[in-house]
Amino acid sequence: MAELTAGQNMTVAEAVGDGVFDEDCSEMVVVKDIEFYSLCEHHMLPFYGRVHVAYIPNGRIIGLSKVPRIVDVFARRLQVQERMTSQIAEAIREVLNPKGVGVVADAVHLCMMMRGISKQNSSTMTSCLLGGFRSDPRTRAEFLGLVRNFG
Ligand SMILES: [Zn+2]
């Protein structure tokens, strides 16, 4: 249980370390299919799946291996998927001040599979779009298209 909730004792700054670099790049960066395992805070049962994270740099980029570390900060704790999705997006925004951030999470919830309505094949998708991902329909469509096609 300590390992499953280790994210509670981690900060985003610790996860990122010195993994932020000045870079004059303005194209969308997408890190797809980041596996995560979390615990539903209502039922104390796992939910798990994949997260896709994208941002448009604004003079700085983040080391690609740091993105899954940020995901783990917010996944490895008692959580709800909707909040986890927006916390990841806000963390990327705070670290990079990018032109936009998009996060999509796709997960199955054991609390839906093992109890209650007992649905085995449903998955839950949540998204958080900030900056250009929210305001520019082309950016949003590009991101969601990439996630859909390859996710
Ligand atoms: Zn639950």
Side-chain angles (χ1 to χ4, degrees), residues 14-39:
E14 286 169 346
V16 172
D18 54 5
V20 173
F21 311 98
D22 292 335
E23 188 64 55
D24 202 17
C25 162
S26 58
E27 297 300 318
M28 185 186 298
V29 177
V30 186
V31 184
K32 290 191 300 98
D33 295 326
I34 303 165
E35 297 162 56
F36 76 93
Y37 296 86
S38 190
L39 284 173

PDB file of all heavy atoms in Angstrom, residues 14-39:
ATOM      1  N   GLU A  14      10.230  17.342  -7.401  1.00  0.00           N
ATOM      2  CA  GLU A  14      11.099  16.182  -7.231  1.00  0.00           C
ATOM      3  C   GLU A  14      11.050  15.278  -8.464  1.00  0.00           C
ATOM      4  O   GLU A  14      12.068  14.725  -8.887  1.00  0.00           O
ATOM      5  CB  GLU A  14      10.682  15.376  -6.002  1.00  0.00           C
ATOM      6  CG  GLU A  14      11.052  16.027  -4.676  1.00  0.00           C
ATOM      7  CD  GLU A  14      10.372  15.332  -3.496  1.00  0.00           C
ATOM      8  OE1 GLU A  14       9.435  14.534  -3.713  1.00  0.00           O
ATOM      9  OE2 GLU A  14      10.792  15.597  -2.370  1.00  0.00           O
ATOM     10  N   ALA A  15       9.856  15.099  -9.007  1.00  0.00           N
ATOM     11  CA  ALA A  15       9.697  14.217 -10.164  1.00  0.00           C
ATOM     12  C   ALA A  15      10.421  14.773 -11.384  1.00  0.00           C
ATOM     13  O   ALA A  15      10.995  14.023 -12.167  1.00  0.00           O
ATOM     14  CB  ALA A  15       8.206  14.028 -10.484  1.00  0.00           C
ATOM     15  N   VAL A  16      10.401  16.082 -11.524  1.00  0.00           N
ATOM     16  CA  VAL A  16      11.004  16.709 -12.704  1.00  0.00           C
ATOM     17  C   VAL A  16      12.513  16.855 -12.536  1.00  0.00           C
ATOM     18  O   VAL A  16      13.270  16.699 -13.490  1.00  0.00           O
ATOM     19  CB  VAL A  16      10.345  18.078 -12.962  1.00  0.00           C
ATOM     20  CG1 VAL A  16      11.083  18.840 -14.051  1.00  0.00           C
ATOM     21  CG2 VAL A  16       8.875  17.898 -13.328  1.00  0.00           C
ATOM     22  N   GLY A  17      12.963  17.149 -11.313  1.00  0.00           N
ATOM     23  CA  GLY A  17      14.394  17.334 -11.078  1.00  0.00           C
ATOM     24  C   GLY A  17      14.948  18.432 -11.965  1.00  0.00           C
ATOM     25  O   GLY A  17      14.368  19.508 -12.072  1.00  0.00           O
ATOM     26  N   ASP A  18      16.065  18.121 -12.621  1.00  0.00           N
ATOM     27  CA  ASP A  18      16.649  19.123 -13.527  1.00  0.00           C
ATOM     28  C   ASP A  18      16.317  18.796 -14.981  1.00  0.00           C
ATOM     29  O   ASP A  18      17.078  19.100 -15.891  1.00  0.00           O
ATOM     30  CB  ASP A  18      18.160  19.219 -13.322  1.00  0.00           C
ATOM     31  CG  ASP A  18      18.828  17.856 -13.451  1.00  0.00           C
ATOM     32  OD1 ASP A  18      18.120  16.877 -13.785  1.00  0.00           O
ATOM     33  OD2 ASP A  18      20.049  17.762 -13.234  1.00  0.00           O
ATOM     34  N   GLY A  19      15.170  18.165 -15.181  1.00  0.00           N
ATOM     35  CA  GLY A  19      14.787  17.701 -16.515  1.00  0.00           C
ATOM     36  C   GLY A  19      14.030  18.696 -17.357  1.00  0.00           C
ATOM     37  O   GLY A  19      13.195  18.301 -18.168  1.00  0.00           O
ATOM     38  N   VAL A  20      14.268  19.988 -17.164  1.00  0.00           N
ATOM     39  CA  VAL A  20      13.642  21.008 -18.019  1.00  0.00           C
ATOM     40  C   VAL A  20      14.745  21.754 -18.758  1.00  0.00           C
ATOM     41  O   VAL A  20      15.756  22.132 -18.157  1.00  0.00           O
ATOM     42  CB  VAL A  20      12.790  21.990 -17.185  1.00  0.00           C
ATOM     43  CG1 VAL A  20      12.285  23.139 -18.047  1.00  0.00           C
ATOM     44  CG2 VAL A  20      11.608  21.251 -16.565  1.00  0.00           C
ATOM     45  N   PHE A  21      14.547  21.956 -20.067  1.00  0.00           N
ATOM     46  CA  PHE A  21      15.610  22.518 -20.900  1.00  0.00           C
ATOM     47  C   PHE A  21      15.064  23.649 -21.763  1.00  0.00           C
ATOM     48  O   PHE A  21      13.934  23.570 -22.247  1.00  0.00           O
ATOM     49  CB  PHE A  21      16.175  21.430 -21.828  1.00  0.00           C
ATOM     50  CG  PHE A  21      16.515  20.162 -21.119  1.00  0.00           C
ATOM     51  CD1 PHE A  21      15.627  19.082 -21.117  1.00  0.00           C
ATOM     52  CD2 PHE A  21      17.708  20.043 -20.412  1.00  0.00           C
ATOM     53  CE1 PHE A  21      15.929  17.906 -20.450  1.00  0.00           C
ATOM     54  CE2 PHE A  21      18.016  18.868 -19.740  1.00  0.00           C
ATOM     55  CZ  PHE A  21      17.125  17.800 -19.756  1.00  0.00           C
ATOM     56  N   ASP A  22      15.891  24.668 -21.953  1.00  0.00           N
ATOM     57  CA  ASP A  22      15.542  25.721 -22.905  1.00  0.00           C
ATOM     58  C   ASP A  22      15.628  25.151 -24.314  1.00  0.00           C
ATOM     59  O   ASP A  22      16.632  24.524 -24.667  1.00  0.00           O
ATOM     60  CB  ASP A  22      16.509  26.906 -22.775  1.00  0.00           C
ATOM     61  CG  ASP A  22      16.320  27.631 -21.449  1.00  0.00           C
ATOM     62  OD1 ASP A  22      15.208  27.555 -20.889  1.00  0.00           O
ATOM     63  OD2 ASP A  22      17.287  28.258 -20.980  1.00  0.00           O
ATOM     64  N   GLU A  23      14.591  25.364 -25.092  1.00  0.00           N
ATOM     65  CA  GLU A  23      14.606  24.836 -26.463  1.00  0.00           C
ATOM     66  C   GLU A  23      13.630  25.653 -27.297  1.00  0.00           C
ATOM     67  O   GLU A  23      12.494  25.878 -26.886  1.00  0.00           O
ATOM     68  CB  GLU A  23      14.196  23.359 -26.458  1.00  0.00           C
ATOM     69  CG  GLU A  23      14.357  22.665 -27.785  1.00  0.00           C
ATOM     70  CD  GLU A  23      15.801  22.597 -28.243  1.00  0.00           C
ATOM     71  OE1 GLU A  23      16.645  22.095 -27.476  1.00  0.00           O
ATOM     72  OE2 GLU A  23      16.101  23.067 -29.367  1.00  0.00           O
ATOM     73  N   ASP A  24      14.107  26.045 -28.450  1.00  0.00           N
ATOM     74  CA  ASP A  24      13.294  26.886 -29.306  1.00  0.00           C
ATOM     75  C   ASP A  24      12.471  26.013 -30.248  1.00  0.00           C
ATOM     76  O   ASP A  24      12.746  25.928 -31.426  1.00  0.00           O
ATOM     77  CB  ASP A  24      14.212  27.829 -30.097  1.00  0.00           C
ATOM     78  CG  ASP A  24      13.461  29.050 -30.581  1.00  0.00           C
ATOM     79  OD1 ASP A  24      12.365  29.307 -30.049  1.00  0.00           O
ATOM     80  OD2 ASP A  24      13.975  29.730 -31.487  1.00  0.00           O
ATOM     81  N   CYS A  25      11.488  25.364 -29.704  1.00  0.00           N
ATOM     82  CA  CYS A  25      10.666  24.435 -30.475  1.00  0.00           C
ATOM     83  C   CYS A  25       9.219  24.820 -30.243  1.00  0.00           C
ATOM     84  O   CYS A  25       8.820  25.106 -29.112  1.00  0.00           O
ATOM     85  CB  CYS A  25      10.925  23.002 -29.975  1.00  0.00           C
ATOM     86  SG  CYS A  25       9.667  21.805 -30.419  1.00  0.00           S
ATOM     87  N   SER A  26       8.445  24.860 -31.317  1.00  0.00           N
ATOM     88  CA  SER A  26       7.069  25.303 -31.139  1.00  0.00           C
ATOM     89  C   SER A  26       6.056  24.275 -31.627  1.00  0.00           C
ATOM     90  O   SER A  26       4.874  24.567 -31.754  1.00  0.00           O
ATOM     91  CB  SER A  26       6.847  26.634 -31.865  1.00  0.00           C
ATOM     92  OG  SER A  26       7.162  26.475 -33.233  1.00  0.00           O
ATOM     93  N   GLU A  27       6.527  23.073 -31.916  1.00  0.00           N
ATOM     94  CA  GLU A  27       5.614  22.035 -32.382  1.00  0.00           C
ATOM     95  C   GLU A  27       5.115  21.192 -31.217  1.00  0.00           C
ATOM     96  O   GLU A  27       5.797  21.023 -30.203  1.00  0.00           O
ATOM     97  CB  GLU A  27       6.326  21.122 -33.391  1.00  0.00           C
ATOM     98  CG  GLU A  27       6.766  21.835 -34.660  1.00  0.00           C
ATOM     99  CD  GLU A  27       5.594  22.450 -35.407  1.00  0.00           C
ATOM    100  OE1 GLU A  27       4.541  21.786 -35.500  1.00  0.00           O
ATOM    101  OE2 GLU A  27       5.734  23.589 -35.886  1.00  0.00           O
ATOM    102  N   MET A  28       3.941  20.653 -31.394  1.00  0.00           N
ATOM    103  CA  MET A  28       3.317  19.846 -30.346  1.00  0.00           C
ATOM    104  C   MET A  28       4.188  18.630 -29.982  1.00  0.00           C
ATOM    105  O   MET A  28       4.697  17.934 -30.855  1.00  0.00           O
ATOM    106  CB  MET A  28       1.946  19.367 -30.840  1.00  0.00           C
ATOM    107  CG  MET A  28       1.138  18.618 -29.789  1.00  0.00           C
ATOM    108  SD  MET A  28      -0.401  17.913 -30.466  1.00  0.00           S
ATOM    109  CE  MET A  28      -1.277  19.382 -30.989  1.00  0.00           C
ATOM    110  N   VAL A  29       4.341  18.424 -28.695  1.00  0.00           N
ATOM    111  CA  VAL A  29       5.037  17.243 -28.180  1.00  0.00           C
ATOM    112  C   VAL A  29       3.979  16.331 -27.558  1.00  0.00           C
ATOM    113  O   VAL A  29       3.182  16.785 -26.741  1.00  0.00           O
ATOM    114  CB  VAL A  29       6.084  17.633 -27.112  1.00  0.00           C
ATOM    115  CG1 VAL A  29       6.750  16.391 -26.531  1.00  0.00           C
ATOM    116  CG2 VAL A  29       7.115  18.590 -27.687  1.00  0.00           C
ATOM    117  N   VAL A  30       3.955  15.063 -27.969  1.00  0.00           N
ATOM    118  CA  VAL A  30       2.956  14.128 -27.464  1.00  0.00           C
ATOM    119  C   VAL A  30       3.657  12.911 -26.866  1.00  0.00           C
ATOM    120  O   VAL A  30       4.487  12.287 -27.540  1.00  0.00           O
ATOM    121  CB  VAL A  30       1.997  13.651 -28.583  1.00  0.00           C
ATOM    122  CG1 VAL A  30       0.881  12.790 -27.988  1.00  0.00           C
ATOM    123  CG2 VAL A  30       1.408  14.833 -29.335  1.00  0.00           C
ATOM    124  N   VAL A  31       3.358  12.600 -25.625  1.00  0.00           N
ATOM    125  CA  VAL A  31       3.840  11.364 -25.004  1.00  0.00           C
ATOM    126  C   VAL A  31       2.611  10.496 -24.767  1.00  0.00           C
ATOM    127  O   VAL A  31       1.747  10.828 -23.963  1.00  0.00           O
ATOM    128  CB  VAL A  31       4.579  11.641 -23.678  1.00  0.00           C
ATOM    129  CG1 VAL A  31       5.158  10.344 -23.117  1.00  0.00           C
ATOM    130  CG2 VAL A  31       5.681  12.668 -23.884  1.00  0.00           C
ATOM    131  N   LYS A  32       2.557   9.399 -25.524  1.00  0.00           N
ATOM    132  CA  LYS A  32       1.339   8.584 -25.524  1.00  0.00           C
ATOM    133  C   LYS A  32       1.513   7.321 -24.704  1.00  0.00           C
ATOM    134  O   LYS A  32       2.620   6.855 -24.460  1.00  0.00           O
ATOM    135  CB  LYS A  32       0.980   8.156 -26.954  1.00  0.00           C
ATOM    136  CG  LYS A  32       0.497   9.275 -27.813  1.00  0.00           C
ATOM    137  CD  LYS A  32      -0.087   8.747 -29.114  1.00  0.00           C
ATOM    138  CE  LYS A  32       0.925   7.960 -29.922  1.00  0.00           C
ATOM    139  NZ  LYS A  32       0.836   6.531 -29.771  1.00  0.00           N
ATOM    140  N   ASP A  33       0.372   6.754 -24.347  1.00  0.00           N
ATOM    141  CA  ASP A  33       0.344   5.391 -23.800  1.00  0.00           C
ATOM    142  C   ASP A  33       1.205   5.228 -22.559  1.00  0.00           C
ATOM    143  O   ASP A  33       1.946   4.255 -22.416  1.00  0.00           O
ATOM    144  CB  ASP A  33       0.778   4.374 -24.860  1.00  0.00           C
ATOM    145  CG  ASP A  33      -0.203   4.311 -26.021  1.00  0.00           C
ATOM    146  OD1 ASP A  33      -1.411   4.486 -25.772  1.00  0.00           O
ATOM    147  OD2 ASP A  33       0.233   4.087 -27.154  1.00  0.00           O
ATOM    148  N   ILE A  34       1.121   6.194 -21.661  1.00  0.00           N
ATOM    149  CA  ILE A  34       1.822   6.077 -20.386  1.00  0.00           C
ATOM    150  C   ILE A  34       0.943   5.234 -19.457  1.00  0.00           C
ATOM    151  O   ILE A  34      -0.157   5.652 -19.083  1.00  0.00           O
ATOM    152  CB  ILE A  34       2.061   7.466 -19.760  1.00  0.00           C
ATOM    153  CG1 ILE A  34       2.850   8.354 -20.731  1.00  0.00           C
ATOM    154  CG2 ILE A  34       2.763   7.329 -18.420  1.00  0.00           C
ATOM    155  CD1 ILE A  34       2.832   9.832 -20.357  1.00  0.00           C
ATOM    156  N   GLU A  35       1.426   4.045 -19.113  1.00  0.00           N
ATOM    157  CA  GLU A  35       0.633   3.185 -18.232  1.00  0.00           C
ATOM    158  C   GLU A  35       0.589   3.775 -16.825  1.00  0.00           C
ATOM    159  O   GLU A  35       1.577   4.316 -16.338  1.00  0.00           O
ATOM    160  CB  GLU A  35       1.262   1.807 -18.121  1.00  0.00           C
ATOM    161  CG  GLU A  35       1.330   1.051 -19.416  1.00  0.00           C
ATOM    162  CD  GLU A  35       2.343  -0.068 -19.306  1.00  0.00           C
ATOM    163  OE1 GLU A  35       2.210  -0.907 -18.397  1.00  0.00           O
ATOM    164  OE2 GLU A  35       3.278  -0.071 -20.114  1.00  0.00           O
ATOM    165  N   PHE A  36      -0.561   3.634 -16.201  1.00  0.00           N
ATOM    166  CA  PHE A  36      -0.623   4.057 -14.799  1.00  0.00           C
ATOM    167  C   PHE A  36      -1.516   3.099 -14.020  1.00  0.00           C
ATOM    168  O   PHE A  36      -2.373   2.407 -14.580  1.00  0.00           O
ATOM    169  CB  PHE A  36      -1.156   5.497 -14.674  1.00  0.00           C
ATOM    170  CG  PHE A  36      -2.646   5.599 -14.865  1.00  0.00           C
ATOM    171  CD1 PHE A  36      -3.499   5.542 -13.766  1.00  0.00           C
ATOM    172  CD2 PHE A  36      -3.190   5.722 -16.126  1.00  0.00           C
ATOM    173  CE1 PHE A  36      -4.872   5.619 -13.941  1.00  0.00           C
ATOM    174  CE2 PHE A  36      -4.558   5.800 -16.300  1.00  0.00           C
ATOM    175  CZ  PHE A  36      -5.407   5.742 -15.207  1.00  0.00           C
ATOM    176  N   TYR A  37      -1.282   3.065 -12.722  1.00  0.00           N
ATOM    177  CA  TYR A  37      -2.095   2.285 -11.800  1.00  0.00           C
ATOM    178  C   TYR A  37      -2.440   3.191 -10.631  1.00  0.00           C
ATOM    179  O   TYR A  37      -1.551   3.798 -10.032  1.00  0.00           O
ATOM    180  CB  TYR A  37      -1.335   1.050 -11.301  1.00  0.00           C
ATOM    181  CG  TYR A  37      -1.016   0.086 -12.410  1.00  0.00           C
ATOM    182  CD1 TYR A  37       0.137   0.246 -13.164  1.00  0.00           C
ATOM    183  CD2 TYR A  37      -1.894  -0.949 -12.732  1.00  0.00           C
ATOM    184  CE1 TYR A  37       0.425  -0.619 -14.211  1.00  0.00           C
ATOM    185  CE2 TYR A  37      -1.614  -1.811 -13.776  1.00  0.00           C
ATOM    186  CZ  TYR A  37      -0.457  -1.641 -14.505  1.00  0.00           C
ATOM    187  OH  TYR A  37      -0.179  -2.495 -15.553  1.00  0.00           O
ATOM    188  N   SER A  38      -3.728   3.288 -10.343  1.00  0.00           N
ATOM    189  CA  SER A  38      -4.149   4.166  -9.259  1.00  0.00           C
ATOM    190  C   SER A  38      -5.200   3.458  -8.414  1.00  0.00           C
ATOM    191  O   SER A  38      -5.586   2.314  -8.697  1.00  0.00           O
ATOM    192  CB  SER A  38      -4.704   5.480  -9.837  1.00  0.00           C
ATOM    193  OG  SER A  38      -4.906   6.425  -8.817  1.00  0.00           O
ATOM    194  N   LEU A  39      -5.617   4.138  -7.375  1.00  0.00           N
ATOM    195  CA  LEU A  39      -6.608   3.567  -6.457  1.00  0.00           C
ATOM    196  C   LEU A  39      -7.785   4.522  -6.321  1.00  0.00           C
ATOM    197  O   LEU A  39      -7.594   5.687  -5.969  1.00  0.00           O
ATOM    198  CB  LEU A  39      -5.997   3.354  -5.063  1.00  0.00           C
ATOM    199  CG  LEU A  39      -5.057   2.176  -4.872  1.00  0.00           C
ATOM    200  CD1 LEU A  39      -4.435   2.258  -3.483  1.00  0.00           C
ATOM    201  CD2 LEU A  39      -5.805   0.860  -5.043  1.00  0.00           C
TER     202      LEU A  39
END
